[in-house]
């Protein structure tokens, strides 16, 4: 696993000394050695690498990585360029279009969000190929819970977008009055019509950030083909 080397390191470092974390690292290494596992090891901690703690403005919590080849790269809901946009992300784009007027791009590569302070954190950071939730019991949640508790302690405005019941279970750790918690059904095709569409989380997040003197997020993911011309 590529080590964290930004301002997440100090608050997370107590976790690295705990027994559960040592077991977790050993299990993850064994899994990578024995099976196809996603994301690739160098992408595993991209959520932390791309969004330093001091820059976090919005937190989008996912569950576990995409489990088909070439999709996952360490950010919840995001896929690598050239990969088909997954159904949940298509629905996120539809809601964005309705909410803030962005166009629906030709890719699902959300690094632009991460670099603006949108922490896209899965609560489980690895998965075996073709087996959703296959790493749900190896200790990842203890580590990502520690990260969520660190976020809760930050003395600045942060917006949490909790979509679906598993994400909303994290609300129990969030009690900072300076933070905004937004809840909606998951954007998957199974539940998006139950209230994800129309939730307006993206405009609500930006209104909250502006109100508290922060730069809003530019939610437009550009077309890669246009971008490269």
């Amino acid at each position: 696993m590529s080590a964290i080397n930004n301002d997440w390191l100090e608050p997370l470092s107590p976790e690295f000394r705990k027994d559960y974390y040592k077991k977790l690292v050993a299990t993850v290494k064994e899994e990578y050695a024995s099976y196809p596992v996603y994301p690739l090891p160098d992408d595993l901690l991209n959520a932390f690498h791309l969004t330093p703690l001091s820059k976090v403005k919005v937190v989008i919590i996912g569950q576990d990585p995409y489990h088909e080849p070439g999709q996952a790269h360490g950010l919840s809901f995001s896929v690598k360029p050239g990969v088909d946009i997954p159904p949940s992300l298509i629905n996120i784009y539809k809601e964005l279009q309705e909410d803030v007027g962005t166009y629906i791009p030709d890719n699902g590569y959300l690094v632009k969000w991460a670099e603006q302070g949108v922490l896209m954190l899965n609560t489980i950071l690895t998965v075996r190929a073709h087996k959703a939730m296959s790493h749900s019991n190896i200790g990842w949640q203890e580590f990502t819970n520690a990260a969520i508790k660190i976020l809760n302690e930050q003395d600045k405005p942060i917006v949490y977008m909790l979509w679906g019941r598993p994400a909303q279970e994290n609300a129990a750790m969030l009690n900072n009055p300076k933070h905004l918690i937004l809840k909606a059904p998951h954007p998957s095709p199974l539940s998006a019509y139950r209230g994800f569409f129309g939730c307006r989380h993206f405009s609500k997040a930006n209104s909250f950030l502006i109100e508290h003197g922060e730069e809003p997020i530019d939610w437009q993911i550009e077309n890669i083909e246009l971008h490269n011309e």
Side-chain angles (χ1 to χ4, degrees):
M1 294 194 292
S2 51
I4 293 172
N5 57 13
N6 61 15
D7 60 0
W8 277 105
L9 181 60
E10 188 181 341
L12 280 172
S13 58
E15 302 304 305
F16 305 148
R17 295 189 286 274
K18 293 180 181 176
D19 287 343
Y20 89 85
Y21 188 81
K22 291 169 188 168
K23 284 180 193 163
L24 170 62
V25 169
T27 303
V28 168
K29 283 181 178 169
E30 192 178 319
E31 286 284 306
Y32 274 116
S34 309
Y35 305 94
V37 170
Y38 305 125
L40 297 174
D42 284 350
D43 289 336
L44 183 53
L45 297 171
N46 272 349
F48 299 100
H49 295 321
L50 292 169
T51 313
L53 178 59
S54 59
K55 303 279 198 246
V56 175
K57 297 177 179 180
V58 176
V59 181
I60 299 177
I61 294 179
Q63 200 162 6
D64 72 332
Y66 296 122
H67 52 264
E68 296 304 324
Q71 291 182 307
H73 66 106
L75 304 180
S76 61
F77 295 102
S78 181
V79 289
K80 291 181 178 177
V83 175
D84 287 347
I85 304 172
S88 292
L89 183 51
I90 287 172
N91 286 339
I92 290 169
Y93 284 160
K94 286 178 181 173
E95 173 59 21
L96 265 168
Q97 187 176 43
E98 283 294 310
D99 186 13
V100 297
T102 49
Y103 65 81
I104 294 178
D106 62 6
N107 68 92
Y109 192 53
L110 305 181
V111 165
K112 177 182 174 181
W113 292 358
E115 290 174 342
Q116 293 180 83
V118 181
L119 180 73
M120 286 170 277
L121 183 66
N122 284 316
T123 53
I124 302 157
L125 296 185
T126 53
V127 67
R128 266 191 214 175
H130 320 302
K131 292 189 175 178
M133 300 299 289
S134 47
H135 286 176
S136 60
N137 295 312
I138 66 171
W140 275 127
Q141 290 96 324
E142 194 161 347
F143 179 69
T144 51
N145 280 356
I148 291 165
K149 287 172 183 169
I150 290 163
L151 289 163
N152 182 58
E153 292 164 4
Q154 300 308 299
D155 185 25
K156 61 175 185 174
I158 295 178
V159 182
Y160 300 86
M161 296 182 182
L162 306 180
W163 300 332
R165 192 173 302 135
Q168 288 166 17
E169 286 169 0
N170 294 284
M173 294 182 275
L174 303 173
N175 60 6
N176 188 324
K178 292 195 172 180
H179 296 176
L180 176 66
I181 298 171
L182 301 173
K183 296 180 184 179
H186 196 276
S188 82
L190 297 172
S191 55
Y193 287 95
R194 295 186 202 141
F196 178 77
F197 289 137
C199 71
R200 304 188 70 82
H201 280 188
F202 305 99
S203 60
K204 286 175 182 174
N206 275 354
S207 295
F208 178 81
L209 292 170
I210 292 164
E211 196 181 307
H212 290 86
E214 295 282 347
E215 280 286 314
I217 305 298
D218 174 6
W219 294 108
Q220 180 67 69
I221 299 295
E222 285 86 7
N223 286 335
I224 283 180
E225 285 166 15
L226 289 175
H227 211 52
N228 289 341
E229 282 176 9

